[in-house]
């Protein structure tokens, strides 16, 4: 009889942290706020400077993060689109190393309805839990555990059925959040992890800590609220000429016309593209302050690991799911095709001695969310499934670079709206045509639309993506390169679960 413990056994701790909607330029040295704990972590880690998600919004981004697959393979392309149960997740695969991955937060995974009985409330629920996780604290938009915590602490909880949004709506725009800083969602989730960690025992663990900050609503408690002076933040790309960005491409004009402030900041309404300077500065300052709050609680976590003597046996991954436009190009949220929605942080700390030489280094190679699954599996000594699209990042942590490493990032965005049924984009696109697919090299940005004109940028001369070259002679040359790269990507990353199987 086979033993239940056959195979590799994890001997290190793994802490996998994500911060929702965290864009890559809000790291030490670039953010408009001090981030001392991240700065200290970077001295002991590897920073991947060109790290990109493969899709957005949240559910689509996390589907790639959890499965190591491009969206054209996992096809969980919208919030609420089921994740096919045949695709294993990093959490289900890590159980093969003798650990039970534990969740603090959320994963925005929609269950495969074919495995559920008719009428099951999990059908269509985009805030389900990724397969393979044991749930410690589930913190969805309803935020029930957090609201209960606030109530115990004496904070009024208006309309608990409305979840977290009602708490933020209780204060006007530009005011600090209703609760104390020690009772925020970020603080609460950190407390839950630290409570569990304090009694978890000496066995190696895999924990996934999924912070919602700096996701909207853009509001934060004191002292973080006053940490960043709105006058000190830079105005967004295109400020004063957002119409020029809208004229670049019909999809950008479409998003500018339909993105409303009410989804992002309590007490505001109207088109984001028409927001006044004071509101823009306040939102950008609050976003930076929310990043500083994450930094503060990261410091608490690192201190606890060190106090317990476990820092030197902990692999730490710190990243996000996707970015945030923050009014750049007249947009808010994660949408369109600009880098602000796709470029995200990645910090990787490998505790093993062979990683000492690379500590404090910066990697300029293009890396992607899909690389984290093979990285974690390789660290645990587990086999990476043949169908996985990502590549392990562990060689970079040893100061090495794999031969033939990619020289581009790729992502997709499906902008259909199956729930409200509104027109997906100009020209009456059908659902299956309402998508875009990006090839981003050091110089080239090629955006392919199956039903709209392309967008093409020469990033060497136009790093802010203000001039769409589609139709120009220079643009046509770049378009040929982009099309070839996109076709080759699809051909290299076809379904491969059984393709390489052999009886040997």
């Amino acid at each position: 009889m086979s033993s239940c413990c056959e195979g590799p056994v994890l001997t290190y701790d793994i802490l996998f942290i994500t911060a929702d909607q965290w864009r890559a330029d809000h790291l030490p040295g670039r953010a408009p706020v001090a981030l001392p704990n991240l700065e200290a972590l970077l001295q002991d880690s590897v920073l991947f400077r060109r790290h990109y998600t493969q899709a957005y919004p949240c559910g689509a981004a996390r589907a790639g993060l959890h499965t190591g697959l491009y969206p054209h393979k996992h096809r969980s392309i919208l919030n609420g689109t089921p994740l096919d149960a045949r695709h294993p997740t990093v959490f289900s695969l890590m159980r093969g190393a003798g650990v039970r991955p534990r969740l603090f937060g959320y994963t925005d995974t929609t269950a495969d309805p074919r495995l559920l009985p008719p009428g099951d409330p999990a059908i269509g629920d985009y805030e389900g839990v990724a397969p393979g996780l044991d749930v410690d604290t589930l913190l969805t938009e309803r935020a029930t555990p957090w609201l209960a915590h606030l109530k115990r602490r004496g904070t009024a909880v208006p309309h608990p059925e409305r979840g977290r949004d009602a708490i933020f709506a209780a204060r006007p725009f530009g005011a600090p959040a209703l609760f104390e800083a020690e009772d925020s969602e970020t603080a609460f989730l950190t407390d839950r992890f630290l409570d569990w960690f304090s009694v978890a025992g000496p066995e190696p663990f895999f924990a996934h800590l999924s912070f919602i900050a700096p996701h909207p609503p853009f509001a934060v408690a004191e002292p973080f609220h006053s940490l960043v002076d709105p006058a000190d933040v830079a105005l967004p790309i295109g400020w004063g000429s957002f119409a020029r960005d809208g004229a670049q491409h019909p999809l950008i004009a479409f998003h500018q016309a339909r993105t409303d402030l009410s989804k992002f900041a309590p007490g505001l309404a109207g088109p984001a593209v028409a927001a006044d300077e004071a509101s823009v500065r306040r939102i950008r300052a609050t976003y930076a302050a929310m990043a500083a709050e994450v930094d503060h609680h990261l410091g608490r976590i690192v201190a606890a690991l060190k106090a317990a003597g476990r820092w030197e046996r902990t692999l730490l991954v710190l990243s996000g799911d996707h970015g945030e436009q923050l009014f750049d190009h007249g947009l808010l949220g994660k949408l369109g095709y600009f880098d602000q929605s796709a470029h995200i942080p990645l910090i990787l700390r490998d505790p093993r001695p062979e990683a000492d030489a690379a500590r404090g280094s910066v990697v300029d190679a293009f890396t992607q969310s899909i690389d984290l699954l093979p990285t974690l599996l390789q660290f645990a000594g587990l086999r990476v499934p043949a169908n996985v699209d990502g590549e392990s990042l562990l060689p970079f942590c040893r100061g090495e670079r794999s031969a033939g490493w990619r020289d581009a990032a790729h992502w997709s965005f499906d902008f259909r709206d199956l729930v409200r049924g509104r027109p997906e984009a100009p020209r009456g696109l059908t659902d299956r045509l309402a998508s875009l697919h990006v090839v981003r090299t050091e110089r080239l940005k090629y955006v392919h639309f199956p039903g709209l004109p392309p967008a093409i940028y020469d990033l060497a001369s136009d790093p802010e993506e203000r001039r769409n070259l589609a139709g120009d002679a220079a643009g046509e040359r770049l378009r040929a390169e982009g099309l070839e790269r996109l076709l080759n990507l699809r051909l290299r990353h076809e379904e491969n679960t059984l393709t390489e199987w052999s009886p040997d």
Side-chain angles (χ1 to χ4, degrees):
M1 180 179 294
S2 298
S3 166
C4 66
C5 298
E6 288 182 352
V9 176
L10 189 66
T11 56
Y12 286 84
D13 299 326
I14 296 178
L15 180 55
F16 180 18
I17 303 176
T18 55
D20 200 320
Q21 214 136 324
W22 191 11
R23 47 190 269 173
D25 61 0
H26 277 60
L27 286 175
R30 298 189 65 192
V33 65
L35 302 168
N37 296 298
L38 278 167
E39 190 168 359
L41 178 62
L42 286 173
Q43 300 307 308
D44 199 21
S45 308
V46 176
L47 170 65
F48 294 84
R49 183 150 44 197
R50 288 176 171 166
H51 189 67
Y52 290 80
T53 188
Q54 270 56 77
Y56 31 84
C58 302
R62 292 171 190 268
L65 180 67
H66 299 155
T67 64
L69 302 177
Y70 282 114
H72 74 269
K73 285 169 70 170
H74 66 66
R75 298 306 295 154
S76 182
I77 52 177
L78 297 168
N79 287 345
T81 305
L83 179 63
D84 194 318
R86 68 192 174 93
H87 298 308
T89 69
V90 63
F91 312 114
S92 60
L93 292 168
M94 284 296 300
R95 297 176 82 94
V99 293
R100 300 166 67 103
R102 199 167 189 87
L103 173 66
F104 300 84
Y106 59 98
T107 65
D108 284 346
T109 305
T110 304
D112 189 331
R114 298 168 298 182
L115 305 184
L116 300 171
D120 191 311
I123 295 175
D125 179 7
Y126 86 89
E127 294 189 293
V129 177
L133 280 163
D134 287 2
V135 177
D136 183 287
T137 304
L138 182 62
L139 201 59
T140 64
E141 288 184 7
R142 184 68 183 267
T144 302
W146 179 53
L147 298 184
H149 167 77
L150 291 177
K151 192 172 182 179
R152 285 195 303 271
R153 297 277 288 177
T155 301
V157 180
H159 305 291
E161 72 281 0
R162 298 181 189 172
R164 63 190 303 268
D165 285 351
I167 291 291
F168 291 100
R171 286 285 176 87
F173 172 71
L178 175 69
F179 44 83
E180 300 295 327
E182 59 264 29
D183 294 324
S184 73
E185 288 169 288
T186 307
F188 171 75
L189 208 58
T190 302
D191 289 343
R192 298 290 74 75
F193 168 75
L194 293 178
D195 285 347
W196 169 80
F197 175 70
S198 70
V199 295
E203 298 80 15
F205 68 79
F206 183 118
H208 179 35
L209 184 55
S210 177
F211 291 125
I212 195 166
H215 187 286
F218 294 129
V220 68
E222 292 288 12
F224 299 104
H225 175 79
S226 300
L227 205 56
V228 183
D229 187 339
D232 293 337
V233 300
L235 285 168
I237 293 172
W239 177 255
S241 58
F242 287 153
R244 172 183 166 188
D245 293 281
Q248 289 188 40
H249 195 276
L251 181 68
I252 305 306
F254 175 83
H255 286 323
Q256 285 185 349
R258 288 161 177 80
T259 303
D260 196 275
L261 289 166
S262 61
K263 297 180 180 179
F264 299 89
L268 291 185
V273 72
D276 62 81
E277 182 175 336
S279 297
V280 169
R281 288 186 179 277
R282 177 72 265 175
I283 286 176
R284 288 170 71 91
T286 300
Y287 179 90
M290 294 169 76
E293 184 186 25
V294 173
D295 176 85
H296 170 75
H297 292 289
L298 173 66
R300 296 176 60 209
I301 292 168
V302 172
L305 292 169
K306 289 181 176 179
R310 298 181 78 146
W311 181 241
E312 296 308 322
R313 56 175 268 192
T314 300
L315 175 76
L316 179 63
V317 178
L318 181 62
S319 191
D321 53 355
H322 52 70
E324 160 61 50
Q325 286 297 136
L326 276 184
F327 294 101
D328 284 329
H329 304 282
L331 302 174
L332 268 177
K334 54 279 186 182
L335 71 178
Y337 49 74
F338 296 112
D339 272 22
Q340 290 79 22
S341 286
H343 190 195
I344 58 176
L346 175 62
I347 300 170
L348 185 57
R349 179 190 181 269
D350 186 338
R352 298 173 300 180
E354 55 262 41
D356 288 347
R359 299 195 190 285
S361 65
V362 177
V363 172
D364 283 322
F366 284 99
T367 61
Q368 306 186 134
S369 289
I370 56 174
D371 296 329
L372 289 179
L373 179 146
T375 300
L376 293 173
L377 292 184
Q378 186 183 58
F379 182 83
L382 293 167
R383 183 183 66 84
V384 179
N387 196 41
V388 165
D389 296 321
E391 299 289 340
S392 173
L393 301 174
L394 290 182
F396 291 106
C397 294
R398 299 190 296 267
E400 304 168 3
R401 176 165 176 166
S402 301
W405 190 264
R406 72 175 72 91
D407 62 352
H410 305 272
W411 68 89
S412 300
F413 174 47
D414 194 295
F415 47 88
R416 75 183 84 182
D417 190 334
L418 295 179
V419 177
R420 284 163 288 189
R422 68 187 185 190
E424 287 76 17
R427 307 185 185 184
L429 292 185
T430 62
D431 287 342
R432 292 195 175 190
L433 295 182
S435 65
L436 62 86
H437 310 274
V438 178
V439 177
R440 204 273 194 213
T441 71
E442 186 168 3
R443 179 191 176 190
L444 166 69
K445 179 79 162 285
Y446 173 71
V447 188
H448 185 81
F449 293 82
L452 290 172
I456 306 168
Y457 301 91
D458 184 341
L459 300 176
S461 61
D462 180 24
E464 292 188 340
E465 302 175 57
R466 303 298 311 284
R467 183 185 173 213
N468 181 3
L469 297 177
D472 292 0
E476 287 305 304
R477 289 192 295 272
L478 293 173
R479 180 180 188 177
E481 178 186 345
L483 279 168
E484 182 177 2
R485 284 177 172 272
L486 187 59
L487 177 59
N488 286 339
L489 172 80
R490 290 299 184 96
L491 293 175
R492 284 196 306 269
H493 295 280
E494 297 282 5
E495 166 63 43
N496 205 32
T497 302
L498 296 177
T499 302
E500 296 183 355
W501 180 87
S502 72
D504 299 333

